[in-house]
Amino acid sequence: MFGIQGRLTCLFVVIVTVVLGISGTYAQYSLQHELETNNQRLRDGVLTRLQTSLPSALWDLDKAKVDNIVSAEMMPPELVAIRVYDTSVGLFSGKQRSPNGVISNVGGDDPVAGTPVVADLGYRDAGSVGSSLRPVIVGRVVVNFSREQIEATLANEIRRKVIEVLLLDLILVVALALSLRIVFDPIKKLRDGLFELATRDSDEVAELPEKRADELGDVIRGFNAIQRRVKAIIGRTRQAEDEARRSALETAQALDNLRQTQESLLQAERLASLGGLVAGVAHEINTPVGIALTSASVLAEATEDVHKAVTGGTVKKSEILKYIETAGESARLIMNNAYRAAHLIHSFKQIAVDQVSEARRRFELREYIDEVVSSLQPRLKKTRIAVAITCPGDIVLDSYPGALAQIITNLTLNCVDHAFDADMPGRIAINVMCDGDWVEMQVVDNGKGIPPDMLDKVFDPFVTTRRGQGGTGLGLNIVYNLIVKQFAGSITVSSVLGHGASFVLRIPRVTPGEDSELPHADARLHA
């Protein structure tokens, strides 16, 4: 595409060409009109003179005089031929011009070039009676006129005008090229400077010379001022970028440290939960084991007394009966408390192994929820809170029981810690229903509820209403991460202040993963 200089040159050339073309056209039209007028005037003059001088000579049949008159009229180059015809003898005299300009006599009625014009020759005898009557036609004259002179003149004029236009255009182009260089050379330097300023490091771009004292000099000085300002801005930008990079590195390091700290806190929270479970189970086992040990001691003493009596031969029936009663009561106490301890150990063992190993397996949901709630009894027995479980017994999950135990534990203990005050009676309901390939679990309490300003932040880390009272704010965050990331499920919370809270979680019956079984495995359980 042409630049401004080329477009300006083309514009001026077009304008000059059009103006000169219009002027030349008008001049050509005027010249043609003038030539046509002169040619018509010549025709009229020649015919008038011939009609005046030829009739008397033709009347007298004076051939020499006719030839002289015709030769005299053949002087203008526009005349090609003049032929004079007598009414009685036909062609009387004639002259014609050859292509090389030589005038010769006409040889017969051969065709002659040019445009013929015919005029009658009338003669009026001045001495005869009735001279006022119409003249007598004594003959006619045929004059052939040529337009070659007019056309040659017009053609020469056109060539002259074309050459004039071309010369003027050439002069204009050269003049514009020389004059526009004064303007466009500095503009090109300014353009190159702007391009380098935009594409290269500004420190490498040299300033343009400011020697000019005209308007372009002002533009160059403005460009240099802008360049100096851009250099200053780039310098500050580099400094800011360096500071931003340092800040980004420090932020990334701090974020990594924070993430590691959060992971450590989450792991510590889970281990603390498991430690609390261990302490509670150990405390619960202590009572049945102590009772069993005491009963075993009483039974051992009674057995020793009976053994001494039998050995001494002084055994009595009443002693035997008392021993049997003591042995039966001791056995009953030992059996009951041993079963209680075994049940606690079994529940603790299963929950602890699941939480530590995080292995995936198939398990019945109702039975597992019972075991988890049983493992929480050491904590629940110190409160006035009842836990009710509503769950069909035929729901089997292919999932991670340890993570599910962590979820149920955290949700239940969250209700115990936050929904109820000390010694406040309450109820926690764990309701489970099956929805196709999904399980929906609802953990509901009738406690104090969650404040509206906390409702949208309960799953955020380190958000707690018991700051400084042992609350870490990680329990519900662990629940959220386990449900969303490990189970590919969802959890929502709703609450009305003073009317408890409801946590609703949805998890698939078969947790997605490369080791998961197909849904038909669950279908067999309903058959």
Side-chain angles (χ1 to χ4, degrees), residues 31-275:
L31 178 61
Q32 184 177 1
H33 180 71
E34 181 181 357
L35 292 175
E36 293 289 349
T37 302
N38 293 336
N39 183 262
Q40 187 64 40
R41 189 180 296 115
L42 176 64
R43 291 183 182 185
D44 294 341
V46 169
L47 290 176
T48 300
R49 288 192 297 272
L50 289 175
Q51 286 178 327
T52 302
S53 59
L54 282 179
S56 60
L58 189 61
W59 177 266
D60 295 333
L61 297 177
D62 188 352
K63 184 173 181 2
K65 185 177 180 180
V66 171
D67 289 339
N68 290 332
I69 294 172
V70 172
S71 297
E73 293 296 338
M74 285 293 294
M75 295 301 295
E78 287 84 0
L79 274 73
V80 177
I82 299 176
R83 288 171 291 177
V84 180
Y85 292 90
D86 183 72
T87 55
S88 58
V89 300
L91 179 63
F92 184 78
S93 177
K95 300 289 184 180
Q96 65 177 3
R97 190 187 306 275
S98 62
N100 57 6
V102 178
I103 298 174
S104 60
N105 293 324
V106 175
D109 288 331
D110 296 334
V112 179
T115 304
V117 178
V118 180
D120 292 331
L121 300 175
Y123 174 74
R124 182 183 292 115
D125 187 2
S128 63
V129 180
S131 60
S132 61
L133 298 178
R134 291 178 57 186
V136 178
I137 301 301
V138 295
R140 59 188 176 88
V141 63
V142 179
V143 182
N144 289 74
F145 293 92
S146 173
R147 293 185 55 85
E148 292 182 359
Q149 191 70 20
I150 297 176
E151 293 174 357
T153 303
L154 293 176
N156 290 333
E157 184 65 17
I158 291 175
R159 285 192 292 271
R160 189 183 67 81
K161 288 293 183 182
V162 170
I163 294 173
E164 180 182 348
V165 170
L166 293 177
L167 287 176
L168 287 175
D169 287 340
L170 180 61
I171 293 172
L172 180 62
V173 169
V174 173
L176 283 174
L178 294 176
S179 60
L180 291 178
R181 286 183 59 184
I182 301 174
V183 176
F184 284 98
D185 283 351
I187 291 179
K188 288 180 180 179
K189 293 181 181 178
L190 184 61
R191 179 201 62 190
D192 296 338
L194 288 172
F195 182 77
E196 291 184 359
L197 183 63
T199 58
R200 297 174 56 187
D201 194 339
S202 63
D203 293 340
E204 301 176 2
V205 181
E207 295 185 2
L208 298 179
E210 302 179 355
K211 299 178 181 180
R212 301 178 65 97
D214 52 11
E215 292 82 356
L216 289 175
D218 296 336
V219 174
I220 292 174
R221 283 186 285 273
F223 167 75
N224 290 336
I226 292 174
Q227 183 178 353
R228 288 190 289 269
R229 186 169 183 179
V230 168
K231 289 181 179 180
I233 293 174
I234 291 177
R236 291 195 296 269
T237 302
R238 287 176 179 172
Q239 183 178 0
E241 288 176 351
D242 293 339
E243 294 177 356
R245 278 193 290 269
R246 288 194 296 269
S247 299
L249 292 175
E250 294 174 358
T251 302
Q253 184 64 34
L255 182 61
D256 186 61
N257 294 336
L258 179 62
R259 188 178 293 109
Q260 293 179 1
T261 303
Q262 182 176 352
E263 292 293 334
S264 300
L265 289 174
L266 293 176
Q267 187 66 22
E269 180 72 13
R270 298 183 66 177
L271 293 177
S273 176
L274 186 60

Side-chain angles (χ1 to χ4, degrees), residues 190-381:
L190 184 61
R191 179 201 62 190
D192 296 338
L194 288 172
F195 182 77
E196 291 184 359
L197 183 63
T199 58
R200 297 174 56 187
D201 194 339
S202 63
D203 293 340
E204 301 176 2
V205 181
E207 295 185 2
L208 298 179
E210 302 179 355
K211 299 178 181 180
R212 301 178 65 97
D214 52 11
E215 292 82 356
L216 289 175
D218 296 336
V219 174
I220 292 174
R221 283 186 285 273
F223 167 75
N224 290 336
I226 292 174
Q227 183 178 353
R228 288 190 289 269
R229 186 169 183 179
V230 168
K231 289 181 179 180
I233 293 174
I234 291 177
R236 291 195 296 269
T237 302
R238 287 176 179 172
Q239 183 178 0
E241 288 176 351
D242 293 339
E243 294 177 356
R245 278 193 290 269
R246 288 194 296 269
S247 299
L249 292 175
E250 294 174 358
T251 302
Q253 184 64 34
L255 182 61
D256 186 61
N257 294 336
L258 179 62
R259 188 178 293 109
Q260 293 179 1
T261 303
Q262 182 176 352
E263 292 293 334
S264 300
L265 289 174
L266 293 176
Q267 187 66 22
E269 180 72 13
R270 298 183 66 177
L271 293 177
S273 176
L274 186 60
L277 177 63
V278 172
V281 170
H283 179 74
E284 284 297 308
I285 291 177
N286 185 58
T287 299
V289 169
I291 294 175
L293 182 60
T294 302
S295 299
S297 298
V298 171
L299 180 60
E301 290 179 1
T303 301
E304 182 65 25
D305 293 339
V306 170
H307 181 266
K308 289 180 180 179
V310 172
T311 303
T314 59
V315 63
K316 299 179 181 179
K317 182 179 179 179
S318 58
E319 292 178 348
I320 295 299
L321 293 175
K322 182 179 179 182
Y323 172 74
I324 292 174
E325 182 181 359
T326 301
E329 181 66 19
S330 297
R332 185 183 65 80
L333 290 174
I334 291 172
M335 286 294 295
N336 288 342
N337 286 278
Y339 175 78
R340 182 181 174 188
H343 178 70
L344 288 173
I345 291 173
H346 174 75
S347 298
F348 165 73
K349 178 181 178 182
Q350 187 63 58
I351 300 300
V353 168
D354 287 338
Q355 292 198 24
V356 172
S357 66
E358 297 184 354
R360 176 175 182 155
R361 64 182 177 87
R362 294 168 56 86
F363 59 93
E364 292 186 359
L365 183 58
R366 171 58 191 260
E367 179 181 350
Y368 198 73
I369 294 176
D370 288 338
E371 291 180 354
V372 174
V373 174
S374 297
S375 67
L376 298 178
Q377 286 302 318
R379 178 72 180 277
L380 295 174
K381 64 182 294 186

